[in-house]
Amino acid sequence: LETSDSSSLPVLINELLYPEDENHIAYRYGKRHTARLVRTANNTDHLILPQKEPWRIQPNEEGSIDDLAIELFSRSPLDGRQVRVAIETVGLNFWDLFRTIGVVQEGLLGGEMCGKVVEIGSGVSEVSVGDDVVGLAFGTFASEVITHEAMLAPAPRGISKTAAATIPTTFASAELSYQLSGISPGEKVL
């Protein structure tokens, strides 16, 4: 809510007394906004997500966050230990924002995700088709992604898929820091 607008108090009270499924709500200039991707009818200013073809979200050349585009791509065959994952939720990081606004000039959007395994390469032994997984990959702002099986782990039980999608980068950073630090069990760190 805009705190300078005294008429926003009734709006806040209404949101608190009569909550809906939305949990990220903002009011700007008297208009209610929610944080979500939606499939909409034609002739809107929303992204239209294809239903059948694989797609990924791409930033535009000018670096405007308002002009993201959908890029269709062809499915590639999988190599030995590669896994195709249907994306359900993704983590958003500063790098994604920097790429979107043109600070970083190359690379696909998204690096961490939660999803369902839909296809595995001939040498995959750690996951199976149908498994719920969390992991790292390039270009996770997409309908599906291909990654190496070593970059995946079973999705943790007891937390939402939205929360699970934010774990991979944090975990990998902590694990690599621990491995590279040279500390041993029993030592104390800040």
Side-chain angles (χ1 to χ4, degrees), residues 1-2 15 24-35:
L1 293 172
E2 297 170 51
E15 287 290 348
H24 291 80
I25 303 165
Y27 280 85
R28 299 289 183 259
Y29 305 105
K31 186 174 178 185
R32 184 178 193 259
H33 299 271
T34 58

Side-chain angles (χ1 to χ4, degrees), residues 75-129:
R75 287 186 175 95
S76 303
L78 300 179
D79 289 334
R81 294 185 63 203
Q82 289 183 321
V83 177
R84 187 180 322 273
V85 179
I87 304 296
E88 295 180 22
T89 59
V90 297
L92 175 67
N93 293 297
F94 275 107
W95 190 93
D96 301 314
L97 179 60
F98 289 159
R99 175 67 181 103
T100 301
I101 64 174
V103 173
V104 176
Q105 297 299 319
E106 57 188 49
L108 299 173
L109 293 175
E112 55 187 345
M113 54 77 192
C114 189
K116 190 170 288 295
V117 174
V118 294
E119 185 181 358
I120 59 173
S122 60
V124 172
S125 61
E126 300 296 317
V127 297
S128 300
V129 171

Side-chain angles (χ1 to χ4, degrees), residues 41-171:
N42 291 336
N43 302 322
T44 71
D45 58 354
H46 292 30
L47 292 176
I48 306 298
L49 304 178
Q51 299 292 318
K52 296 184 189 226
E53 303 92 351
W55 55 265
R56 67 176 60 99
I57 297 177
Q58 291 283 42
N60 71 5
E61 297 297 320
E62 290 79 42
S64 169
I65 201 165
D66 294 325
D67 292 321
L68 297 173
I70 298 294
E71 174 185 86
L72 300 178
F73 64 92
S74 299
R75 287 186 175 95
S76 303
L78 300 179
D79 289 334
R81 294 185 63 203
Q82 289 183 321
V83 177
R84 187 180 322 273
V85 179
I87 304 296
E88 295 180 22
T89 59
V90 297
L92 175 67
N93 293 297
F94 275 107
W95 190 93
D96 301 314
L97 179 60
F98 289 159
R99 175 67 181 103
T100 301
I101 64 174
V103 173
V104 176
Q105 297 299 319
E106 57 188 49
L108 299 173
L109 293 175
E112 55 187 345
M113 54 77 192
C114 189
K116 190 170 288 295
V117 174
V118 294
E119 185 181 358
I120 59 173
S122 60
V124 172
S125 61
E126 300 296 317
V127 297
S128 300
V129 171
D131 287 354
D132 288 321
V133 293
V134 62
L136 298 169
F138 295 110
T140 61
F141 285 23
S143 58
E144 61 186 49
V145 69
I146 295 174
T147 192
H148 191 279
E149 74 173 315
M151 303 304 283
L152 299 172
R157 297 188 192 276
I159 65 171
S160 71
K161 290 183 178 186
T162 303
T166 67
I167 294 173
T169 299
T170 304
F171 176 81

